Each structure stands twice: as C-alpha cells, then as structure tokens.
Coordinates of all heavy atoms in Angstrom, one line a residue:
M5 N 18.5 -31.3 -52.7 CA 19.0 -32.3 -51.8 C 19.0 -31.8 -50.4 O 19.3 -30.6 -50.2 CB 20.3 -32.8 -52.2 CG 20.3 -33.6 -53.5 SD 21.4 -35.0 -53.7 CE 21.5 -36.0 -52.4
Q6 N 18.7 -32.7 -49.5 CA 18.8 -32.3 -48.1 C 20.2 -32.4 -47.6 O 20.9 -33.3 -47.9 CB 17.9 -33.2 -47.3 CG 16.4 -33.0 -47.6 CD 15.6 -34.0 -46.9 OE1 16.1 -34.9 -46.2 NE2 14.3 -33.8 -46.9
S7 N 20.5 -31.4 -46.7 CA 21.9 -31.5 -46.2 C 22.0 -32.5 -45.1 O 21.0 -32.9 -44.5 CB 22.3 -30.1 -45.7 OG 21.5 -29.8 -44.5
A8 N 23.2 -32.9 -44.7 CA 23.4 -33.8 -43.6 C 23.0 -33.2 -42.3 O 22.5 -34.0 -41.4 CB 24.9 -34.2 -43.6
K9 N 23.1 -31.9 -42.1 CA 22.7 -31.3 -40.9 C 21.2 -31.4 -40.7 O 20.7 -31.7 -39.6 CB 23.2 -29.9 -40.8 CG 22.9 -29.2 -39.5 CD 23.4 -27.7 -39.5 CE 23.1 -27.1 -38.2 NZ 23.5 -25.7 -38.2
F10 N 20.4 -31.2 -41.8 CA 19.0 -31.2 -41.7 C 18.5 -32.7 -41.4 O 17.6 -32.9 -40.5 CB 18.4 -30.8 -43.0 CG 16.9 -30.9 -43.1 CD1 16.1 -29.9 -42.4 CD2 16.2 -31.9 -43.8 CE1 14.7 -30.0 -42.4 CE2 14.9 -32.0 -43.8 CZ 14.1 -31.0 -43.1
K11 N 19.2 -33.7 -42.0 CA 18.8 -35.1 -41.7 C 19.1 -35.4 -40.2 O 18.4 -36.1 -39.5 CB 19.6 -36.0 -42.6 CG 19.1 -36.0 -44.0 CD 19.9 -36.9 -44.9 CE 19.5 -36.8 -46.3 NZ 20.2 -37.7 -47.2
F12 N 20.2 -34.9 -39.7 CA 20.6 -35.1 -38.3 C 19.6 -34.5 -37.4 O 19.2 -35.1 -36.4 CB 22.0 -34.6 -38.0 CG 22.4 -34.7 -36.6 CD1 22.8 -35.9 -36.0 CD2 22.4 -33.6 -35.7 CE1 23.1 -36.0 -34.7 CE2 22.7 -33.7 -34.4 CZ 23.1 -34.9 -33.9
V13 N 19.2 -33.3 -37.6 CA 18.2 -32.6 -36.8 C 16.9 -33.3 -36.8 O 16.2 -33.5 -35.8 CB 18.0 -31.1 -37.2 CG1 16.8 -30.5 -36.6 CG2 19.3 -30.3 -37.0
C14 N 16.4 -33.8 -38.0 CA 15.2 -34.5 -38.1 C 15.3 -35.8 -37.3 O 14.3 -36.2 -36.6 CB 14.8 -34.8 -39.5 SG 14.3 -33.4 -40.4
L15 N 16.4 -36.5 -37.4 CA 16.6 -37.8 -36.7 C 16.6 -37.5 -35.2 O 16.0 -38.3 -34.4 CB 17.9 -38.5 -37.1 CG 18.2 -39.8 -36.4 CD1 17.2 -40.8 -36.8 CD2 19.6 -40.2 -36.8
F16 N 17.3 -36.5 -34.8 CA 17.4 -36.1 -33.3 C 16.0 -35.9 -32.8 O 15.6 -36.4 -31.7 CB 18.3 -34.9 -33.1 CG 18.4 -34.5 -31.7 CD1 19.1 -35.2 -30.8 CD2 17.7 -33.4 -31.3 CE1 19.2 -34.8 -29.4 CE2 17.7 -32.9 -30.0 CZ 18.4 -33.6 -29.1
F17 N 15.2 -35.0 -33.4 CA 13.9 -34.7 -32.9 C 12.9 -35.8 -33.0 O 12.1 -36.0 -32.1 CB 13.3 -33.4 -33.6 CG 14.0 -32.2 -33.1 CD1 14.7 -31.4 -33.9 CD2 13.8 -31.7 -31.8 CE1 15.3 -30.2 -33.5 CE2 14.3 -30.6 -31.3 CZ 15.1 -29.8 -32.1
G18 N 13.1 -36.7 -34.0 CA 12.3 -37.9 -34.1 C 12.5 -38.8 -32.9 O 11.6 -39.3 -32.3
L19 N 13.8 -39.0 -32.6 CA 14.1 -39.9 -31.5 C 13.7 -39.3 -30.1 O 13.2 -40.0 -29.3 CB 15.6 -40.2 -31.5 CG 16.1 -41.1 -32.6 CD1 17.6 -41.2 -32.5 CD2 15.5 -42.5 -32.5
A20 N 13.9 -38.0 -30.0 CA 13.4 -37.3 -28.8 C 11.9 -37.4 -28.6 O 11.4 -37.6 -27.5 CB 13.9 -35.8 -28.8
L21 N 11.2 -37.3 -29.7 CA 9.7 -37.4 -29.6 C 9.3 -38.8 -29.2 O 8.4 -39.0 -28.4 CB 9.1 -37.1 -31.0 CG 7.6 -37.1 -31.0 CD1 7.0 -36.0 -30.1 CD2 7.1 -36.9 -32.5
M22 N 10.0 -39.8 -29.7 CA 9.7 -41.2 -29.3 C 10.0 -41.5 -27.9 O 9.3 -42.4 -27.3 CB 10.4 -42.2 -30.2 CG 9.9 -42.3 -31.6 SD 10.6 -43.6 -32.5 CE 11.5 -42.7 -33.7
L23 N 11.0 -40.8 -27.3 CA 11.4 -41.1 -25.9 C 10.6 -40.3 -24.9 O 10.8 -40.5 -23.7 CB 12.9 -40.8 -25.8 CG 13.8 -41.8 -26.5 CD1 15.2 -41.4 -26.3 CD2 13.6 -43.2 -25.9
T24 N 9.7 -39.5 -25.3 CA 8.9 -38.7 -24.4 C 8.0 -39.5 -23.5 O 7.7 -39.1 -22.4 CB 8.1 -37.6 -25.1 OG1 7.2 -38.2 -26.0 CG2 8.9 -36.6 -25.8
G25 N 7.6 -40.6 -23.9 CA 6.7 -41.5 -23.1 C 7.5 -42.4 -22.2 O 6.9 -43.2 -21.5
C26 N 8.8 -42.3 -22.2 CA 9.6 -43.2 -21.4 C 10.1 -42.6 -20.1 O 11.3 -42.7 -19.7 CB 10.8 -43.7 -22.2 SG 10.4 -44.6 -23.6
G27 N 9.2 -41.8 -19.4 CA 9.6 -41.2 -18.2 C 9.9 -42.2 -17.1 O 9.3 -43.2 -17.0
A28 N 10.7 -41.8 -16.1 CA 11.0 -42.7 -15.0 C 9.9 -42.9 -14.0 O 9.7 -43.9 -13.4 CB 12.2 -42.2 -14.3
D29 N 9.0 -41.9 -13.9 CA 7.9 -42.0 -12.9 C 6.6 -42.5 -13.6 O 5.6 -42.6 -12.9 CB 7.7 -40.6 -12.3 CG 7.3 -39.5 -13.3 OD1 7.5 -39.7 -14.5 OD2 6.8 -38.5 -12.9
D30 N 6.6 -42.7 -14.9 CA 5.4 -43.2 -15.5 C 5.3 -44.7 -15.3 O 6.3 -45.4 -15.1 CB 5.5 -43.0 -17.0 CG 5.4 -41.5 -17.4 OD1 4.9 -40.8 -16.6 OD2 5.9 -41.2 -18.5
H31 N 4.1 -45.2 -15.2 CA 3.8 -46.6 -15.0 C 2.5 -46.9 -15.8 O 1.7 -46.1 -16.0 CB 3.6 -47.0 -13.5 CG 2.4 -46.4 -12.9 ND1 2.3 -45.1 -12.6 CD2 1.2 -47.0 -12.6 CE1 1.1 -44.8 -12.1 NE2 0.4 -46.0 -12.1
S32 N 2.5 -48.2 -16.2 CA 1.2 -48.6 -16.9 C 0.2 -49.0 -15.8 O 0.6 -49.7 -14.8 CB 1.5 -49.8 -17.8 OG 2.0 -50.9 -17.1
P33 N -1.0 -48.6 -15.9 CA -2.0 -49.0 -15.0 C -2.3 -50.5 -15.0 O -2.5 -51.1 -16.1 CB -3.2 -48.2 -15.3 CG -3.0 -47.7 -16.7 CD -1.6 -47.8 -17.0
T34 N -2.2 -51.2 -13.9 CA -2.5 -52.6 -13.8 C -3.6 -52.9 -12.8 O -3.8 -52.1 -11.9 CB -1.2 -53.4 -13.4 OG1 -0.7 -52.9 -12.2 CG2 -0.1 -53.3 -14.5
V35 N -4.2 -54.0 -13.0 CA -5.3 -54.4 -12.1 C -5.0 -55.7 -11.5 O -4.6 -56.6 -12.2 CB -6.7 -54.4 -12.9 CG1 -7.8 -54.8 -12.0 CG2 -7.0 -53.1 -13.5
D36 N -5.1 -55.9 -10.2 CA -4.9 -57.1 -9.5 C -6.1 -58.0 -9.5 O -7.2 -57.6 -9.0 CB -4.4 -56.8 -8.1 CG -4.1 -58.1 -7.3 OD1 -3.9 -59.1 -8.0 OD2 -4.0 -58.0 -6.1
I37 N -6.1 -59.1 -10.2 CA -7.2 -60.0 -10.3 C -6.7 -61.4 -9.8 O -5.9 -62.0 -10.5 CB -7.7 -60.2 -11.7 CG1 -8.3 -58.8 -12.2 CG2 -8.8 -61.2 -11.8 CD1 -8.8 -58.8 -13.6
L38 N -7.1 -61.8 -8.6 CA -6.8 -63.1 -8.0 C -5.2 -63.2 -8.0 O -4.7 -64.3 -8.2 CB -7.4 -64.3 -8.8 CG -8.9 -64.3 -8.8 CD1 -9.4 -65.4 -9.7 CD2 -9.5 -64.4 -7.5
G39 N -4.6 -62.2 -7.6 CA -3.1 -62.2 -7.4 C -2.3 -62.0 -8.7 O -1.1 -61.9 -8.6
S40 N -2.9 -61.9 -9.8 CA -2.2 -61.7 -11.1 C -2.5 -60.3 -11.5 O -3.6 -59.8 -11.4 CB -2.6 -62.7 -12.1 OG -2.3 -64.0 -11.8
Y41 N -1.4 -59.6 -12.0 CA -1.6 -58.2 -12.5 C -1.8 -58.2 -14.0 O -1.0 -58.8 -14.7 CB -0.4 -57.4 -12.1 CG -0.3 -57.1 -10.7 CD1 0.5 -57.8 -9.8 CD2 -1.1 -56.1 -10.1 CE1 0.6 -57.5 -8.5 CE2 -1.0 -55.8 -8.8 CZ -0.2 -56.5 -8.0 OH -0.1 -56.2 -6.6
F42 N -2.9 -57.6 -14.4 CA -3.3 -57.5 -15.8 C -3.2 -56.1 -16.2 O -3.6 -55.2 -15.5 CB -4.7 -58.1 -16.1 CG -4.8 -59.5 -15.9 CD1 -5.3 -60.1 -14.7 CD2 -4.5 -60.4 -17.0 CE1 -5.4 -61.4 -14.6 CE2 -4.7 -61.7 -16.8 CZ -5.1 -62.3 -15.6
P43 N -2.8 -55.8 -17.4 CA -2.8 -54.4 -17.9 C -4.3 -54.0 -18.0 O -5.2 -54.7 -18.3 CB -2.2 -54.5 -19.3 CG -1.4 -55.7 -19.3 CD -2.1 -56.7 -18.4
A44 N -4.5 -52.7 -17.6 CA -5.9 -52.2 -17.5 C -6.5 -52.2 -18.9 O -7.8 -52.3 -19.0 CB -5.9 -50.8 -16.9
W45 N -5.8 -52.0 -20.0 CA -6.4 -52.0 -21.3 C -7.0 -53.3 -21.7 O -8.0 -53.3 -22.4 CB -5.4 -51.5 -22.3 CG -4.2 -52.3 -22.5 CD1 -3.0 -52.1 -21.8 CD2 -4.0 -53.4 -23.3 NE1 -2.1 -53.0 -22.2 CE2 -2.7 -53.9 -23.1 CE3 -4.8 -54.1 -24.2 CZ2 -2.2 -55.0 -23.8 CZ3 -4.3 -55.2 -24.9 CH2 -3.0 -55.6 -24.7
I46 N -6.5 -54.4 -21.2 CA -7.1 -55.7 -21.5 C -8.5 -55.8 -20.8 O -9.4 -56.2 -21.4 CB -6.2 -56.9 -21.0 CG1 -4.9 -56.9 -21.8 CG2 -6.9 -58.2 -21.1 CD1 -3.9 -58.0 -21.4
I47 N -8.6 -55.3 -19.6 CA -9.8 -55.3 -18.9 C -10.8 -54.5 -19.6 O -12.0 -54.8 -19.8 CB -9.7 -54.8 -17.4 CG1 -8.6 -55.6 -16.7 CG2 -11.0 -54.9 -16.7 CD1 -8.8 -57.1 -16.5
C48 N -10.4 -53.3 -20.1 CA -11.3 -52.4 -20.8 C -11.8 -53.0 -22.1 O -13.0 -52.8 -22.5 CB -10.6 -51.0 -21.0 SG -10.4 -50.1 -19.5
I49 N -10.9 -53.7 -22.8 CA -11.3 -54.3 -24.1 C -12.3 -55.4 -23.8 O -13.3 -55.5 -24.5 CB -10.1 -54.8 -24.8 CG1 -9.3 -53.6 -25.4 CG2 -10.5 -55.7 -26.0 CD1 -8.0 -54.0 -26.0
V50 N -12.1 -56.2 -22.8 CA -13.0 -57.3 -22.5 C -14.4 -56.8 -22.1 O -15.4 -57.3 -22.6 CB -12.4 -58.3 -21.5 CG1 -13.5 -59.3 -21.0 CG2 -11.2 -59.0 -22.0
L51 N -14.4 -55.8 -21.3 CA -15.7 -55.2 -20.8 C -16.3 -54.4 -22.0 O -17.6 -54.5 -22.1 CB -15.5 -54.2 -19.7 CG -15.1 -54.9 -18.3 CD1 -14.8 -53.9 -17.3 CD2 -16.1 -55.9 -17.9
G52 N -15.6 -53.8 -22.8 CA -16.1 -53.1 -24.0 C -16.7 -54.1 -25.0 O -17.8 -53.9 -25.6
L53 N -16.1 -55.3 -25.1 CA -16.7 -56.3 -26.0 C -18.0 -56.9 -25.4 O -18.9 -57.1 -26.1 CB -15.6 -57.5 -26.2 CG -16.1 -58.6 -27.0 CD1 -16.4 -58.2 -28.4 CD2 -15.0 -59.7 -27.0
A54 N -18.0 -57.1 -24.1 CA -19.2 -57.5 -23.4 C -20.3 -56.5 -23.6 O -21.5 -56.9 -23.9 CB -19.0 -57.8 -22.0
L55 N -20.0 -55.2 -23.4 CA -21.1 -54.2 -23.6 C -21.6 -54.1 -25.1 O -22.7 -53.9 -25.3 CB -20.5 -52.8 -23.2 CG -20.4 -52.6 -21.7 CD1 -19.7 -51.3 -21.4 CD2 -21.8 -52.7 -21.0
T56 N -20.6 -54.4 -26.0 CA -21.0 -54.4 -27.4 C -22.0 -55.5 -27.7 O -23.0 -55.4 -28.4 CB -19.8 -54.4 -28.3 OG1 -18.9 -53.3 -28.0 CG2 -20.1 -54.4 -29.8
L57 N -21.6 -56.7 -27.2 CA -22.5 -57.9 -27.4 C -23.9 -57.7 -26.7 O -24.9 -58.1 -27.3 CB -21.8 -59.1 -26.8 CG -20.6 -59.6 -27.6 CD1 -19.9 -60.7 -26.9 CD2 -20.9 -59.9 -29.0
I58 N -23.9 -57.1 -25.6 CA -25.2 -56.8 -24.9 C -26.0 -55.8 -25.7 O -27.2 -56.0 -26.0 CB -25.0 -56.3 -23.5 CG1 -24.4 -57.4 -22.6 CG2 -26.3 -55.7 -22.9 CD1 -23.9 -57.0 -21.3
T59 N -25.3 -54.8 -26.2 CA -26.0 -53.8 -27.1 C -26.5 -54.4 -28.4 O -27.7 -54.1 -28.8 CB -25.1 -52.6 -27.4 OG1 -24.6 -52.1 -26.2 CG2 -25.8 -51.5 -28.2
R60 N -25.8 -55.3 -28.9 CA -26.2 -56.0 -30.1 C -27.5 -56.8 -29.9 O -28.4 -56.8 -30.7 CB -25.1 -56.9 -30.7 CG -25.5 -57.6 -31.9 CD -24.5 -58.7 -32.4 NE -25.0 -59.3 -33.6 CZ -25.9 -60.3 -33.6 NH1 -26.4 -60.8 -32.5 NH2 -26.2 -60.9 -34.7
Q61 N -27.5 -57.5 -28.7 CA -28.7 -58.3 -28.4 C -29.9 -57.4 -28.2 O -31.0 -57.8 -28.6 CB -28.4 -59.2 -27.1 CG -27.4 -60.3 -27.4 CD -27.9 -61.2 -28.4 OE1 -29.1 -61.5 -28.7 NE2 -26.9 -61.8 -29.1
I62 N -29.7 -56.2 -27.6 CA -30.8 -55.3 -27.4 C -31.3 -54.8 -28.8 O -32.5 -54.7 -29.0 CB -30.4 -54.1 -26.5 CG1 -30.2 -54.6 -25.1 CG2 -31.4 -53.0 -26.6 CD1 -29.5 -53.6 -24.2
L63 N -30.4 -54.5 -29.7 CA -30.8 -54.1 -31.0 C -31.5 -55.2 -31.8 O -32.5 -54.9 -32.5 CB -29.6 -53.6 -31.8 CG -28.9 -52.3 -31.3 CD1 -27.6 -52.0 -32.0 CD2 -29.8 -51.1 -31.5
V64 N -31.1 -56.4 -31.7 CA -31.7 -57.5 -32.3 C -33.1 -57.7 -31.7 O -34.1 -58.0 -32.4 CB -30.9 -58.8 -32.2 CG1 -31.7 -60.0 -32.6 CG2 -29.6 -58.7 -33.0
G65 N -33.3 -57.6 -30.4 CA -34.6 -57.7 -29.7 C -35.6 -56.7 -30.2 O -36.8 -57.0 -30.4
F66 N -35.1 -55.4 -30.5 CA -36.0 -54.4 -31.0 C -36.1 -54.4 -32.5 O -36.7 -53.5 -33.1 CB -35.6 -53.0 -30.5 CG -35.9 -52.8 -29.0 CD1 -34.8 -52.6 -28.1 CD2 -37.2 -52.8 -28.6 CE1 -35.1 -52.3 -26.8 CE2 -37.4 -52.6 -27.2 CZ -36.4 -52.3 -26.3
K67 N -35.4 -55.3 -33.1 CA -35.3 -55.5 -34.6 C -34.8 -54.2 -35.3 O -35.2 -53.8 -36.3 CB -36.7 -55.8 -35.2 CG -37.2 -57.2 -34.7 CD -38.5 -57.5 -35.3 CE -39.0 -58.9 -35.1 NZ -39.1 -59.3 -33.7
L68 N -33.8 -53.6 -34.6 CA -33.1 -52.4 -35.2 C -31.8 -52.8 -35.9 O -31.3 -51.9 -36.6 CB -32.8 -51.4 -34.1 CG -34.1 -50.8 -33.4 CD1 -33.6 -49.9 -32.2 CD2 -34.8 -49.9 -34.4
N69 N -31.4 -54.0 -35.8 CA -30.1 -54.4 -36.4 C -30.2 -54.4 -37.9 O -29.2 -54.3 -38.5 CB -29.7 -55.7 -35.8 CG -30.6 -56.8 -36.2 OD1 -31.8 -56.6 -36.3 ND2 -30.1 -58.0 -36.4
T70 N -31.4 -54.5 -38.5 CA -31.5 -54.5 -39.9 C -31.2 -53.1 -40.5 O -31.0 -52.9 -41.7 CB -32.9 -54.9 -40.3 OG1 -33.9 -54.1 -39.7 CG2 -33.1 -56.4 -39.9
H71 N -31.3 -52.0 -39.7 CA -31.0 -50.7 -40.1 C -29.6 -50.2 -40.0 O -29.3 -49.1 -40.4 CB -31.9 -49.7 -39.4 CG -33.4 -50.0 -39.5 ND1 -34.1 -49.8 -40.6 CD2 -34.3 -50.5 -38.6 CE1 -35.3 -50.1 -40.5 NE2 -35.5 -50.6 -39.2
L72 N -28.7 -51.1 -39.5 CA -27.3 -50.8 -39.3 C -26.5 -51.2 -40.6 O -26.3 -52.4 -40.8 CB -26.8 -51.5 -38.1 CG -27.4 -51.2 -36.8 CD1 -26.8 -52.0 -35.7 CD2 -27.4 -49.7 -36.5
H73 N -26.1 -50.2 -41.3 CA -25.3 -50.5 -42.5 C -24.1 -49.6 -42.5 O -24.2 -48.4 -42.4 CB -26.1 -50.2 -43.8 CG -27.3 -51.1 -43.9 ND1 -27.3 -52.4 -44.2 CD2 -28.7 -50.8 -43.8 CE1 -28.5 -52.9 -44.2 NE2 -29.3 -52.0 -44.0
P74 N -22.9 -50.1 -42.7 CA -22.5 -51.4 -42.7 C -22.3 -51.9 -41.3 O -21.7 -51.3 -40.4 CB -21.1 -51.4 -43.4 CG -20.7 -50.0 -43.2 CD -21.9 -49.1 -43.1
A75 N -23.0 -53.0 -41.0 CA -23.0 -53.5 -39.6 C -21.7 -53.8 -39.0 O -21.5 -53.5 -37.8 CB -23.9 -54.8 -39.6
P76 N -20.7 -54.5 -39.7 CA -19.4 -54.7 -39.0 C -18.7 -53.4 -38.6 O -18.2 -53.4 -37.5 CB -18.6 -55.4 -40.1 CG -19.6 -56.0 -41.0 CD -20.8 -55.1 -41.0
L77 N -18.8 -52.4 -39.4 CA -18.2 -51.1 -39.0 C -18.9 -50.5 -37.8 O -18.3 -50.0 -36.9 CB -18.3 -50.1 -40.2 CG -17.6 -48.8 -40.0 CD1 -16.2 -48.9 -39.7 CD2 -17.9 -47.9 -41.1
V78 N -20.2 -50.6 -37.7 CA -21.0 -50.1 -36.6 C -20.6 -50.8 -35.3 O -20.4 -50.2 -34.3 CB -22.5 -50.2 -36.8 CG1 -23.3 -49.9 -35.6 CG2 -22.9 -49.3 -38.0
Y79 N -20.5 -52.1 -35.4 CA -20.1 -52.9 -34.1 C -18.7 -52.6 -33.7 O -18.4 -52.6 -32.5 CB -20.4 -54.4 -34.3 CG -21.9 -54.7 -34.4 CD1 -22.4 -55.3 -35.5 CD2 -22.7 -54.2 -33.4 CE1 -23.8 -55.6 -35.6 CE2 -24.1 -54.5 -33.5 CZ -24.6 -55.1 -34.6 OH -26.0 -55.4 -34.6
I80 N -17.8 -52.5 -34.7 CA -16.4 -52.1 -34.4 C -16.3 -50.7 -33.7 O -15.6 -50.5 -32.7 CB -15.5 -52.2 -35.6 CG1 -15.3 -53.6 -36.0 CG2 -14.1 -51.5 -35.3 CD1 -14.6 -53.8 -37.4
C81 N -17.1 -49.8 -34.2 CA -17.1 -48.5 -33.6 C -17.7 -48.5 -32.2 O -17.3 -47.8 -31.3 CB -17.9 -47.5 -34.5 SG -17.0 -47.1 -36.0
M82 N -18.7 -49.4 -32.0 CA -19.3 -49.5 -30.7 C -18.2 -50.1 -29.7 O -18.1 -49.6 -28.6 CB -20.5 -50.5 -30.7 CG -21.8 -49.9 -31.0 SD -23.1 -51.1 -30.6 CE -24.2 -50.7 -31.9
L83 N -17.5 -51.1 -30.2 CA -16.4 -51.7 -29.3 C -15.4 -50.6 -28.9 O -15.0 -50.5 -27.8 CB -15.8 -52.8 -30.1 CG -14.6 -53.4 -29.4 CD1 -15.0 -54.1 -28.1 CD2 -13.9 -54.4 -30.3
V84 N -15.0 -49.8 -29.9 CA -14.0 -48.8 -29.6 C -14.6 -47.7 -28.7 O -13.9 -47.3 -27.7 CB -13.5 -48.1 -30.9 CG1 -12.7 -46.9 -30.6 CG2 -12.7 -49.1 -31.7
F85 N -15.8 -47.3 -28.9 CA -16.5 -46.4 -28.0 C -16.6 -46.9 -26.6 O -16.2 -46.2 -25.6 CB -17.8 -46.0 -28.6 CG -18.7 -45.2 -27.6 CD1 -18.4 -43.8 -27.5 CD2 -19.7 -45.7 -26.9 CE1 -19.1 -43.0 -26.6 CE2 -20.4 -44.9 -26.0 CZ -20.1 -43.6 -25.9
F86 N -17.1 -48.1 -26.4 CA -17.2 -48.6 -25.1 C -15.9 -48.8 -24.4 O -15.7 -48.5 -23.2 CB -18.0 -49.9 -25.1 CG -19.5 -49.8 -25.3 CD1 -20.1 -50.6 -26.2 CD2 -20.2 -48.8 -24.7 CE1 -21.4 -50.5 -26.5 CE2 -21.6 -48.6 -25.0 CZ -22.2 -49.5 -25.8
T87 N -14.9 -49.3 -25.1 CA -13.5 -49.5 -24.6 C -12.9 -48.2 -24.1 O -12.4 -48.1 -22.9 CB -12.6 -50.2 -25.6 OG1 -13.2 -51.4 -26.0 CG2 -11.2 -50.4 -25.0
L88 N -12.9 -47.2 -24.9 CA -12.3 -45.9 -24.6 C -13.1 -45.2 -23.5 O -12.5 -44.5 -22.6 CB -12.2 -45.0 -25.8 CG -11.2 -45.6 -26.9 CD1 -11.2 -44.6 -28.1 CD2 -9.8 -45.8 -26.3
T89 N -14.4 -45.4 -23.5 CA -15.2 -44.8 -22.4 C -14.9 -45.4 -21.0 O -14.8 -44.7 -20.0 CB -16.7 -44.9 -22.7 OG1 -17.0 -44.3 -24.0 CG2 -17.6 -44.3 -21.6
L90 N -14.8 -46.7 -21.0 CA -14.4 -47.4 -19.8 C -13.0 -47.0 -19.3 O -12.8 -46.8 -18.1 CB -14.5 -48.9 -20.0 CG -15.9 -49.5 -20.1 CD1 -15.8 -50.9 -20.5 CD2 -16.6 -49.4 -18.8
W91 N -12.1 -46.8 -20.3 CA -10.8 -46.4 -19.9 C -10.8 -45.0 -19.3 O -10.1 -44.8 -18.3 CB -9.9 -46.4 -21.2 CG -8.5 -45.9 -20.9 CD1 -8.0 -44.7 -21.0 CD2 -7.4 -46.7 -20.4 NE1 -6.7 -44.6 -20.7 CE2 -6.3 -45.9 -20.3 CE3 -7.3 -48.1 -20.1 CZ2 -5.1 -46.3 -19.9 CZ3 -6.0 -48.5 -19.7 CH2 -5.0 -47.6 -19.6
L92 N -11.6 -44.1 -19.9 CA -11.6 -42.8 -19.3 C -12.3 -42.7 -18.0 O -12.0 -41.9 -17.1 CB -12.3 -41.8 -20.3 CG -11.5 -41.5 -21.5 CD1 -12.4 -40.7 -22.5 CD2 -10.3 -40.7 -21.2
L93 N -13.3 -43.6 -17.8 CA -14.1 -43.6 -16.5 C -13.2 -44.1 -15.4 O -13.2 -43.6 -14.3 CB -15.3 -44.4 -16.6 CG -16.5 -43.7 -17.4 CD1 -17.6 -44.7 -17.6 CD2 -16.9 -42.5 -16.8
F94 N -12.5 -45.2 -15.6 CA -11.8 -45.9 -14.5 C -10.3 -45.6 -14.4 O -9.7 -45.7 -13.3 CB -12.0 -47.4 -14.7 CG -13.4 -47.8 -14.5 CD1 -14.1 -48.4 -15.6 CD2 -14.1 -47.6 -13.3 CE1 -15.4 -48.8 -15.4 CE2 -15.4 -48.0 -13.2 CZ -16.1 -48.6 -14.3
F95 N -9.7 -45.2 -15.5 CA -8.2 -45.0 -15.5 C -7.8 -43.6 -16.1 O -6.9 -43.5 -16.8 CB -7.5 -46.1 -16.3 CG -7.8 -47.4 -15.8 CD1 -8.7 -48.2 -16.5 CD2 -7.3 -47.9 -14.6 CE1 -9.1 -49.5 -16.0 CE2 -7.6 -49.2 -14.2 CZ -8.5 -50.0 -14.9
Q96 N -8.5 -42.6 -15.6 CA -8.3 -41.2 -16.2 C -7.0 -40.6 -15.7 O -6.6 -39.6 -16.2 CB -9.5 -40.3 -15.9 CG -9.8 -40.1 -14.5 CD -11.1 -39.4 -14.3 OE1 -11.5 -38.6 -15.2 NE2 -11.7 -39.5 -13.2
N97 N -6.4 -41.1 -14.7 CA -5.1 -40.5 -14.2 C -4.0 -40.9 -15.1 O -3.1 -41.3 -15.0 CB -4.9 -40.7 -12.7 CG -4.9 -42.2 -12.4 OD1 -5.2 -43.0 -13.2 ND2 -4.7 -42.5 -11.2

C-alpha cells in the first residue's frame, strides 16, 4: 500500500506540472483579422486544410491517389503535417 505522504507528493508534483504553462508573461498568439482577434492555431488549421485539399487535387490529377493506402490516414497525416509546419514557420516564438 502507498503511504499518505507518497500520495501527497505525487499530487503536489502533478499539480505543479499542470501549472507550469500558466505563467504571467505567457500569452496565446492571436491574429488580427478585420478587427477581430483569432487564435493563431485556428488560422494554421484552416490553412493546413486548404494545403491538404490542394495536395489531394494534385495527387488525383497525377492519378497517384490510388496508391495511398489507407487514404484517410494519409490525408489526416498531411493535415497535421501542414498545420504544424505553418505553426512553426509563422509562430515559432
């Protein structure tokens, strides 16, 4: 059985680990679009989706889409790749 002290230490360090991202000087990157502030991750997801759809059309044009198995997993991975690449390119700070 675990002692009460061990449980307390685990709880303390777990809570401390969760609070490390709550610094006072941290801010979420936002983008001003027509006077409204949007979180930058939404912009990256939308652009990543657009790049995935463009890439899909290129693959269909060259008839390479028949070689992608499993296709849904490939397109989801493309979406994640493009989204994270855009995030790193534009919001690396």
Side-chain angles (χ1 to χ4, degrees):
M5 288 214 48
Q6 296 176 348
S7 68
K9 184 178 179 180
F10 179 73
K11 288 180 183 179
F12 175 76
V13 169
C14 288
L15 179 65
F16 175 77
F17 283 114
L19 289 174
L21 183 65
M22 285 189 248
L23 290 175
T24 57
C26 298
D29 59 343
D30 293 337
H31 68 284
S32 63
T34 56
V35 179
D36 182 16
I37 299 177
L38 299 175
S40 295
Y41 288 98
F42 290 95
W45 58 267
I46 291 177
I47 307 299
C48 290
I49 289 174
V50 170
L51 292 175
L53 180 61
L55 287 172
T56 302
L57 293 174
I58 291 169
T59 305
R60 182 187 179 278
Q61 290 300 329
I62 292 170
L63 291 172
V64 169
F66 286 118
K67 295 181 174 58
L68 294 174
N69 62 329
T70 57
H71 301 289
L72 301 176
H73 297 288
L77 181 63
V78 171
Y79 291 124
I80 289 171
C81 289
M82 273 192 218
L83 174 65
V84 170
F85 172 75
F86 287 135
T87 300
L88 295 177
T89 301
L90 289 169
W91 179 267
L92 287 174
L93 287 175
F94 296 115
F95 303 102
Q96 59 187 335
N97 54 357

